[in-house]
Amino acid sequence: MSKIWVKKPLSAYEADMRKSELKKVLGKWSLTAIGVGAIIGGGIFVLTGTGAYYHAGPALAISFIVAGIACIFAALCYAEFASIIPVEGSAYAYAYGTVGEIFAWAMGWCLILEYAMASMAVSVSWSGYFTKFLKIFGIHLPSYLTSDPASYTGEGFSMNLPAFILVLLITALLVKGTKEAASANNLIVVMKTCAVVFVIIAGAYIIFSSSDLYTAADGVKNWKPFIPDQTLIKNSEGEMVSAYGVKGIISGAAAIFFAYIGFDAVSTQAGEAINPKKDVPFAIITSLLVCTALYICVSLVLTGMIHYSDFNPEGKFPDAIKAPVAYAFEIAGKHWASNIVTIAATVGLISVVMVMMMGQSRIFIGMAKDGLIPKFFGDLHPKTKTPYKGIILLGFVVAFIAALTPISTLADMTSFGTLFAFTLVCIAVWVMRKREPNLARPFKVPAYKIIVALGVLINVYLIMNLSTHALELSGIWLLLGGLVYVLYGRSNGKLNNPEKYQDND
């Protein structure tokens, strides 16, 4: 039993870095762009509608603040570890070097859940905007090619074909090379960030220049009440659940936590960073702070332009919840602005899927190097030096599930994986400070005891506020992971079974 607590020594990570064949091509701004590219997407362009209607109302801005605070605690912990262990594998590698193999496995298994589910969820979100984008040009795809079987109201076969094709195209780009993918991401991030700033400025102008939305005496009408009274509403599964009030703000923070995944994806690229010990912590914190500010502003503008109750999928604007930002401008009569947002979201969400899949493949590399999953997942292409086998397999799995699964299920499971990983990273910082107090730390979490305690408490609390369905599915995933570890990981891990790898070292 003691073998499951074995820790990977820091000297082994240093050896991994020396032997790594990954190309060092990413500077601090490319890494920051990767973080921004991953964060800005589903949260702003999709989840703002569901968060406002099903949970918090106009107080969604407070939900973003709560979620952002939880992320800041975790981000500081990620930054400290990234400066100590700058290798691919992210929180998985950090747990292996501090807490032990069983925790590292749990971390890696949850990161697989986080990144894979996020890739699927955002590709489904992209499909909604892409369908709206085609309508600008008078092209209407049949519903059976844009709906998963659970959401399709007709008879016969159905699948989300745009999401399926998008994932396969991104898979091909990632196989080609990290530098090419990063360059494409940088261009998309600039375009996407400009679009978000446009939404904030144009939306604020519409609100404060319209007598229907704003009066000097009453302020912004759609913000009243800013925190609606707690009540029961029908959720996306048709069940009556509690919404709004303080509880709605907290459940909203848990639900939209999916929107914040991305800054941790920066740490998965440490193996390809030019100066990882300095640039990765910088990129993690910078990307999170920038995106948190943008999220708060967009949520305020959105709930100011359209009343939160109008995001009801059974109301007078049933499609508003699918593409909330674009429809907010459309309902306001600004069709040109709606088209700009639609185009920006269609392009921008591509980078989110790309970064999530890129991060997932690097988790595979880290776990495969340690023997906890088959070597197949870590094999690098002889020319492009990308883990092409793992990427291709991942691409097909993500594509098929995205084409056949509702976004609500995918988003909730992503939030669980993210919050669980954040909690373990915070704990690992405390463990590392106690066990290795004299270790050189280029970046240190300030007041770490307070930050770690708050990080653990708020992340666990948000986990408890996820939907029961999400917790059940995530529990099944953890049980499956435990079974895989017992049947394969424990008996093939390099640290516990060095005799199996002597000939290869």
Side-chain angles (χ1 to χ4, degrees):
M1 179 62 71
S2 60
K3 293 175 70 176
I4 67 174
W5 300 103
V6 65
K7 296 186 295 296
K8 187 173 181 177
L10 295 182
S11 58
Y13 286 110
E14 293 171 357
D16 285 345
M17 287 185 277
R18 288 193 298 268
K19 293 187 295 182
S20 176
E21 296 182 44
L22 294 171
K23 294 182 179 179
K24 305 287 187 178
V25 296
L26 302 176
K28 67 178 181 180
W29 293 113
S30 290
L31 290 166
T32 300
I34 285 173
V36 174
I39 299 171
I40 294 181
I44 285 182
F45 295 119
V46 179
L47 291 185
T48 41
T50 59
Y53 178 70
Y54 289 118
H55 297 281
L60 181 66
I62 303 178
S63 296
F64 274 117
I65 293 173
V66 172
I69 291 172
C71 284
I72 287 173
F73 295 146
L76 292 170
C77 295
Y78 266 92
E80 176 166 317
F81 271 119
S83 71
I84 300 171
I85 310 175
V87 296
E88 66 279 349
S90 182
Y92 157 76
Y94 310 155
Y96 213 165
T98 56
V99 187
E101 185 174 278
I102 186 64
F103 269 85
W105 172 265
M107 182 75 79
W109 194 249
C110 278
L111 289 174
I112 291 172
L113 176 70
E114 173 188 343
Y115 288 118
M117 291 294 170
S119 301
M120 299 169 196
V122 178
S123 62
V124 173
S125 301
W126 176 86
S127 176
Y129 273 96
F130 178 70
T131 302
K132 192 174 188 306
F133 169 76
L134 292 180
K135 289 179 181 178
I136 295 174
F137 303 97
I139 302 173
H140 298 267
L141 294 179
S143 58
Y144 69 87
L145 291 180
T146 60
S147 304
D148 61 86
S151 304
Y152 184 52
T153 57
E155 297 181 357
F157 169 82
S158 70
M159 69 175 294
N160 197 324
L161 183 61
F164 181 84
I165 293 175
L166 172 69
V167 172
L168 294 185
L169 290 176
I170 289 177
T171 299
L173 178 62
L174 291 177
V175 169
K176 187 175 181 182
T178 299
K179 186 174 182 179
E180 290 77 5
S183 298
N185 179 68
N186 291 345
L187 178 62
I188 293 172
V189 167
V190 171
M191 183 186 305
K192 184 165 54 175
T193 304
C194 289
V196 170
V197 173
F198 165 79
V199 168
I200 295 169
I201 295 174
Y205 176 78
I206 291 171
I207 292 171
F208 293 108
S209 64
S210 171
S211 59
D212 291 333
L213 299 175
Y214 171 82
T215 61
D218 297 329
V220 180
K221 296 180 179 179
N222 287 334
W223 290 349
K224 293 183 178 293
F226 192 73
I227 303 178
D229 293 335
Q230 188 170 326
T231 187
L232 294 176
I233 67 168
K234 185 186 295 184
N235 67 11
S236 57
E237 281 84 35
E239 303 168 337
M240 297 303 294
V241 296
S242 176
Y244 314 128
V246 175
K247 184 177 181 180
I249 292 173
I250 300 302
S251 66
I256 55 90
F257 207 86
F258 164 74
Y260 277 99
I261 63 169
F263 75 82
D264 55 326
V266 175
S267 62
T268 68
Q269 303 301 126
E272 290 144 291
I274 297 172
N275 188 4
K277 291 190 175 183
K278 291 184 178 180
D279 293 349
V280 172
F282 172 88
I284 288 173
I285 295 172
T286 301
S287 60
L288 178 60
L289 292 177
V290 168
C291 292
T292 299
L294 293 175
Y295 273 22
I296 294 168
C297 291
V298 170
S299 63
L300 287 171
V301 165
L302 184 67
T303 54
M305 291 173 64
I306 177 173
H307 196 269
Y308 69 91
S309 62
D310 285 335
F311 289 115
N312 184 354
E314 298 179 359
K316 58 182 178 180
F317 304 115
D319 291 330
I321 200 167
K322 297 178 182 179
V325 180
Y327 275 99
F329 282 104
E330 194 165 294
I331 293 169
K334 308 298 181 182
H335 299 290
W336 60 272
S338 175
N339 290 343
I340 290 176
V341 172
T342 299
I343 294 170
T346 302
V347 176
L349 290 174
I350 294 174
S351 70
V352 184
V353 181
M354 182 167 61
V355 172
M356 291 297 102
M357 291 184 64
M358 189 187 300
Q360 172 71 88
S361 66
R362 273 50 180 182
I363 299 295
F364 282 157
I365 291 178
M367 297 181 75
K369 277 184 178 180
D370 295 327
L372 297 182
I373 60 175
K375 181 178 178 293
F376 166 90
F377 290 97
D379 287 343
L380 301 184
H381 192 280
K383 292 185 178 180
T384 64
K385 300 302 180 182
T386 57
Y388 67 110
K389 293 180 181 178
I391 290 175
I392 292 172
L393 176 61
L394 173 67
F396 278 103
V397 171
V398 170
F400 276 103
I401 296 179
L404 303 173
T405 309
I407 187 174
S408 57
T409 301
L410 300 172
D412 282 349
M413 292 185 69
T414 304
S415 292
F416 175 87
T418 306
L419 288 164
F420 188 87
F422 286 1
T423 301
L424 289 187
V425 167
C426 290
I427 293 172
V429 163
W430 182 84
V431 172
M432 197 66 162
R433 287 289 188 98
K434 293 297 182 182
R435 291 180 175 173
E436 300 284 350
N438 300 319
L439 186 67
R441 293 172 169 84
F443 178 87
K444 296 180 70 174
V445 175
Y448 82 94
K449 292 181 180 179
I450 297 174
I451 296 297
V452 165
L454 291 175
V456 171
L457 288 174
I458 195 169
N459 282 295
V460 170
Y461 185 60
L462 290 176
I463 288 175
M464 293 169 60
N465 278 275
L466 286 170
S467 69
T468 303
H469 186 55
L471 293 176
E472 290 173 348
L473 289 175
S474 300
I476 292 172
W477 176 257
L478 289 178
L479 289 175
L480 177 62
L483 183 63
V484 173
Y485 175 72
V486 170
L487 296 179
Y488 184 89
R490 187 175 60 174
S491 58
N492 287 277
K494 287 187 177 182
L495 291 185
N496 279 320
N497 305 277
E499 67 282 353
K500 289 188 177 183
Y501 301 93
Q502 287 178 351
D503 296 337
N504 298 325
D505 293 336

